[in-house]
Amino acid sequence: MRVDLWAGIQYQGAAMTLPRAPVILVFDSGLGGLTVFREVVKARPDARFVYAADDAAFPYGGLDEGALVARVTAVMDRLVALHAPDLVVVACNTASTLVLPALRARFALPFVGTVPAIKPAVERSVTRRVAVLATPGTVKRDYTQALIDEFAGDCKVTLVGSTALAGLAEAQLRGEAVEDAAIAAEIAPCFPDEGPPTDVVVLGCTHYPLLRTRMERLAPWPVAWIDPAPAIARRVTQLLGAPPPAHDGEEEAAALFTSGRAVTPELRRALGAFGLARLHIEAMPLGA
Ligand code: DGL
């Protein structure tokens, strides 16, 4: 067995064999995990997907560590009992950098995590300066520091914890107006004036690729933006195998929200564009 820090999962090499299409649960605090979901769907179009957004507790970046472990574990208990997934993708850096060991100890299921892509960013940097743009929770994790200690070498890593960007990404997806200035202010600390210029930015929160084209336009100079979603999808096919050559095509995917709030027509449209036509609202209030 080897431990692969970058993808955040443990595996023994051989893919699982199932007598039917797998059930894959993709989990996030909100809508950011959709950026991972779309890549995993491309990799296993035959699978049955459930996308679960714990929007009752959004943003996870604002929860303290004890509360976050308790919350994710409680919601996962319910989701696993309801949907019996064959594999779970924790499409959230804020949760993965903290909760994966507890989830793996609790469930006899493969969990694929999402953690900041520091190793590939460092490998790519020519200026030897990279920035990690993530939630305040992710930037202060021991796990993130361990990735830097192991992989950064001579490369300087600027950690940028944003309190607002995940919410701005959700607002944009819901069709609300998001000012350029609000995005520019959040990404500005990735580009310090002193020292070598940043040439790679790690998108260390799954919400941020939703704003990627705008961040590219608003950045003070061009950089490489690293989105881990394709690597996560590859890891899923490593575990579950490639799809069979002939399959029945895409199953209708379902989205589940824990807040119990009604889904607006704009959000329904946005989810439809990701292939999520069936919606379940199951209130799982925080603290219940
Ligand atoms: N999408 C989540 C992540 O990747 C975080 C958003 C939140 O703060 O809930 O970190």
Side-chain angles (χ1 to χ4, degrees):
M1 166 139 359
R2 78 184 174 91
V3 177
D4 187 322
L5 272 177
W6 138 232
I9 64 163
Q10 297 183 343
Y11 71 99
Q12 286 169 308
M16 291 162 68
T17 42
L18 291 168
R20 51 169 172 74
V23 178
I24 300 176
L25 171 67
V26 180
F27 175 81
D28 184 30
S29 57
L31 303 172
L34 292 170
T35 63
V36 175
F37 169 79
R38 67 185 167 197
E39 292 299 322
V40 181
V41 170
K42 277 191 235 160
R44 283 302 303 241
D46 60 315
R48 279 182 41 219
F49 282 92
V50 178
Y51 181 80
D54 184 18
D55 59 337
F58 179 84
Y60 276 0
L63 292 184
D64 75 43
E65 295 196 347
L68 185 55
V69 174
R71 175 65 186 176
V72 174
T73 308
V75 174
M76 201 56 73
D77 277 352
R78 181 83 185 124
L79 293 172
V80 169
L82 270 179
H83 300 286
D86 297 298
L87 179 144
V88 179
V89 179
V90 181
C92 175
N93 295 262
T94 313
S96 298
T97 49
L98 183 70
V99 191
L100 281 175
L103 294 176
R104 291 191 176 124
R106 194 172 179 92
F107 303 98
L109 270 175
F111 282 85
V112 178
T114 310
V115 300
I118 289 165
K119 182 171 184 250
V122 165
E123 284 168 359
R124 191 153 169 180
S125 175
V126 175
T127 61
R128 310 314 289 151
R129 176 133 198 196
V130 309
V132 176
L133 183 60
T135 67
T138 299
V139 300
K140 62 171 193 252
R141 295 271 186 267
D142 292 345
Y143 193 97
T144 303
Q145 192 52 52
L147 291 177
I148 294 170
D149 293 345
E150 182 165 5
F151 298 117
D154 67 336
C155 195
K156 192 163 168 47
V157 178
T158 307
L159 288 170
V160 179
S162 166
T163 48
L165 263 185
L168 294 175
E170 297 235 335
Q172 173 171 285
L173 199 66
R174 286 194 303 262
E176 294 162 23
V178 175
E179 299 293 325
D180 275 355
I183 298 171
E186 295 302 308
I187 67 171
C190 294
F191 303 92
D193 292 331
E194 263 127 58
T198 300
D199 64 352
V200 182
V201 177
V202 175
L203 297 171
C205 168
T206 53
H207 281 71
Y208 301 168
L210 295 170
L211 296 171
R212 179 171 174 163
T213 49
R214 297 187 68 185
M215 295 196 288
E216 282 170 357
R217 179 167 56 75
L218 294 166
W221 57 82
V223 293
W225 303 83
I226 305 229
D227 173 1
I232 292 160
R234 283 195 296 278
R235 196 50 60 103
V236 169
T237 46
Q238 249 172 354
L239 286 166
L240 291 179
H247 57 78
D248 295 336
E250 284 177 38
E251 288 268 350
E252 208 175 54
L256 183 147
F257 294 88
T258 61
S259 68
R261 280 194 297 274
V263 172
T264 61
E266 292 76 19
L267 180 54
R268 191 175 283 273
R269 252 196 309 279
L271 293 168
F274 280 90
L276 288 160
R278 279 194 297 134
L279 304 184
H280 298 293
I281 312 293
E282 200 198 356
M284 293 184 228
L286 198 56

